[in-house]
């Protein structure tokens, strides 16, 4: 099934492009500016992924070297550079909480650089055991694709020595760079779990506690990360976007719900994946309520719902988008 609602195509496409830029590029609160890295973690607040992501909002971005800009194309007389996806271990810290065994946590910055540095890199924090689980899972599932990868070995002593940390960081970067060059590895469920599992679990805890303001940065970070790795309408990207929309619309304080809801509606116009379409009606219904609260014209959205109903698609009595996604994540 394929949804398309044509209008004034050129004007609509221009408006959509501006919307996409607004939602994905123009985010001052997530743009890395001047400052120094500071971890201000509060004890016993889940896994602290949210605090860690927030801390990177004040870190100065480095400049992108020529080698990382990628191959050069000449199109219409202009030199264009293809965006290059990069994984970089940018810091490491020793974690010694009473609830966890002492270990080193590595911060990985994920960015997609073109002529200019990515203004909205995503960051995740993982430990050696997380990388090891990813490596071993991929070796079991895709042995022929992993023969060339050398993984840093465990050491009995010296885990916290600078030399060991540096060597492991290089190995982790090499592993991730290899994964994204192979389509089957890039699409693997174990990579998806590695990239968003921790943040998604913590976001769910915050949402169950009705602390939506704490869940939103986690969900937005995951959405941006996956959107660098995959196409705009990839199932994992769309699910991440829907989670973000559902959470933003539930939080009475955030002002991001409208922007991300608009973005989700635009992307759904070209979605045909059956698993994703189950969330389209709840998304439309959410947007009808949101548009009404914002004083926007909700009639085009109501017309879409009527059209779907005429096609025999269940519209009445559906779960909310929030409840549908929470139920999905339980399974």
């Amino acid at each position: 099934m394929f949804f398309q609602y044509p209008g004034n195509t050129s004007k609509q496409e221009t408006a959509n492009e501006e919307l996409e830029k607004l939602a994905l590029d123009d985010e001052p609160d997530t743009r890395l500016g001047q400052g120094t890295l500071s971890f201000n973690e509060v004890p016993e607040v889940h896994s602290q992924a949210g605090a860690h992501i927030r801390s990177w909002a004040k870190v100065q971005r480095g400049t992108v070297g020529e080698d990382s800009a990628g191959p050069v194309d000449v199109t219409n007389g202009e030199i264009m550079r293809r965006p290059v996806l990069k994984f970089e271990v940018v810091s490491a810290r020793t974690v010694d909480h009473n609830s966890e065994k002492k270990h080193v946590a590595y911060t990985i910055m994920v960015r997609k650089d073109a002529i200019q540095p990515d203004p909205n890199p995503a960051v995740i924090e993982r430990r050696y055991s997380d990388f090891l689980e990813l490596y071993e899972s991929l070796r079991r599932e895709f042995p022929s694709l992993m023969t060339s990868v050398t993984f840093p070995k465990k050491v009995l002593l010296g885990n916290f020595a600078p030399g060991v940390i540096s060597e492991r960081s290089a190995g982790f970067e090499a592993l991730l760079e290899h994964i994204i060059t192979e389509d089957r590895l890039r699409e693997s469920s174990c990579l998806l779990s590695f990239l968003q599992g921790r943040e998604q679990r913590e976001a769910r805890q915050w949402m169950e506690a009705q602390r939506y303001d704490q869940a939103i940065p986690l969900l937005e970070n995951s959405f941006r990360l996956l959107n660098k790795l995959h196409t705009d309408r990839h199932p994992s990207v769309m699910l991440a976007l829907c989670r973000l929309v559902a959470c933003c619309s539930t939080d009475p304080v955030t002002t991001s719900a409208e922007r991300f809801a608009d973005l989700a509606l635009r992307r759904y116009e070209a979605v045909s994946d059956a698993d994703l379409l189950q969330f389209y009606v709840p998304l439309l219904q959410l947007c009808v309520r949101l548009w009404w609260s914002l004083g926007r014209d909700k009639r085009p959205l109501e017309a879409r719902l009527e059209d779907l109903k005429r096609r025999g698609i269940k519209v009445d009595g559906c779960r909310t988008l929030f409840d549908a996604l929470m139920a999905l994540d339980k399974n």
Side-chain angles (χ1 to χ4, degrees):
M1 190 179 296
F2 193 86
F3 294 111
Q4 188 69 33
Y5 293 88
N8 187 324
T9 305
S10 60
K11 290 183 179 180
Q12 180 178 340
E13 287 179 352
T14 301
N16 287 342
E17 287 172 2
E18 291 300 316
L19 174 63
E20 188 101 7
K21 182 177 180 181
L22 174 65
L24 291 178
D25 296 330
D26 190 16
E27 286 286 320
D29 57 324
T30 59
R31 193 183 297 268
L32 299 180
Q34 300 292 331
T36 57
L37 178 60
S38 173
F39 297 104
N40 298 313
E41 296 192 353
V42 180
E44 301 178 0
V45 184
H46 304 302
S47 70
Q48 298 305 318
H52 187 68
I53 288 170
R54 288 178 187 274
S55 73
W56 277 93
K58 296 181 180 179
V59 179
Q60 183 176 0
R61 276 301 311 274
T63 56
V64 179
E66 288 298 317
D67 291 341
S68 66
V72 176
D73 283 343
V74 177
T75 306
N76 296 328
E78 296 182 358
I79 298 178
M80 304 295 291
R81 291 182 179 175
R82 299 180 186 132
V84 176
L85 184 64
K86 298 291 292 183
F87 292 86
E88 182 182 2
V89 178
V90 291
S91 75
R93 65 189 181 105
T94 301
V95 178
D96 192 11
H97 291 162
N98 293 332
S99 59
E100 296 182 82
K101 184 179 178 181
K102 185 177 179 181
H103 64 274
V104 177
Y106 298 84
T107 298
I108 306 98
M109 180 179 285
V110 187
R111 65 177 195 260
K112 202 166 188 178
D113 294 322
I115 295 175
Q116 298 296 326
D118 187 339
N120 288 297
V123 289
I124 55 175
E125 190 177 56
R126 299 293 183 265
R127 54 193 294 182
Y128 177 90
S129 58
D130 296 322
F131 283 99
L132 180 60
E133 181 181 356
L134 173 63
Y135 171 71
E136 291 182 339
S137 297
L138 290 174
R139 274 215 314 173
R140 285 193 298 269
E141 191 172 355
F142 307 101
S144 63
L145 298 179
M146 296 294 293
T147 54
S148 63
V149 180
T150 302
F151 191 79
K153 294 181 180 180
K154 289 185 177 180
V155 294
L156 296 178
L157 297 172
N159 282 350
F160 309 104
V164 173
I165 292 174
S166 178
E167 181 181 350
R168 286 184 170 182
S169 297
F172 298 154
E173 289 178 357
L175 171 64
L176 294 171
E177 294 290 347
H178 172 76
I179 291 172
I180 62 173
T181 63
E182 297 283 353
D183 287 344
R184 284 189 290 169
L185 300 180
R186 193 181 182 122
E187 294 286 342
S188 64
S189 59
C190 50
L191 176 63
L192 181 62
S193 178
F194 173 84
L195 293 175
Q196 71 164 8
R198 177 182 176 183
E199 289 73 21
Q200 190 173 320
R201 286 190 297 272
E202 184 177 338
R204 181 180 178 81
Q205 289 178 300
W206 285 122
M207 288 188 287
E208 288 174 345
Q210 299 184 1
R211 290 295 307 277
Y212 308 112
D213 60 319
Q214 297 295 322
I216 288 170
L218 294 160
L219 296 174
E220 182 174 345
N221 187 72
S222 291
F223 164 61
R224 292 180 185 280
L225 192 161
L226 295 175
N227 209 165
K228 298 177 196 300
L229 187 67
H230 299 296
T231 59
D232 286 352
R233 292 171 178 82
H234 188 279
S236 65
V237 175
M238 290 297 295
L239 278 175
L241 179 56
C242 284
R243 288 189 185 97
L244 179 56
V245 171
C247 192
C248 286
S249 67
T250 310
D251 182 17
V253 177
T254 184
T255 58
S256 300
E258 181 183 9
R259 290 183 294 119
F260 288 117
D262 262 321
L263 183 62
L265 287 175
R266 176 198 171 188
R267 291 190 178 182
Y268 255 108
E269 290 178 0
V271 164
S272 57
D273 185 282
D275 291 336
L276 290 177
L277 291 177
Q278 65 179 306
F279 302 109
Y280 186 55
V281 168
L283 173 66
L284 283 172
Q285 292 172 333
L286 179 155
C287 290
V288 166
R289 294 189 295 271
L290 181 60
W291 271 215
W292 177 83
S293 69
L294 295 171
R296 290 182 57 175
D297 185 3
K298 60 186 176 67
R299 288 174 295 180
L301 301 180
E302 292 173 332
R304 294 192 195 186
L305 286 167
E306 284 300 318
D307 180 54
L308 295 175
K309 193 172 183 178
R310 285 193 296 271
R311 298 188 198 184
I313 296 173
K314 182 180 177 181
V315 170
D316 300 319
C318 294
R319 287 174 169 172
T320 66
L321 182 63
F322 185 94
D323 290 341
L325 289 166
M326 291 290 277
L328 173 71
D329 293 337
K330 281 183 179 179
N331 299 330

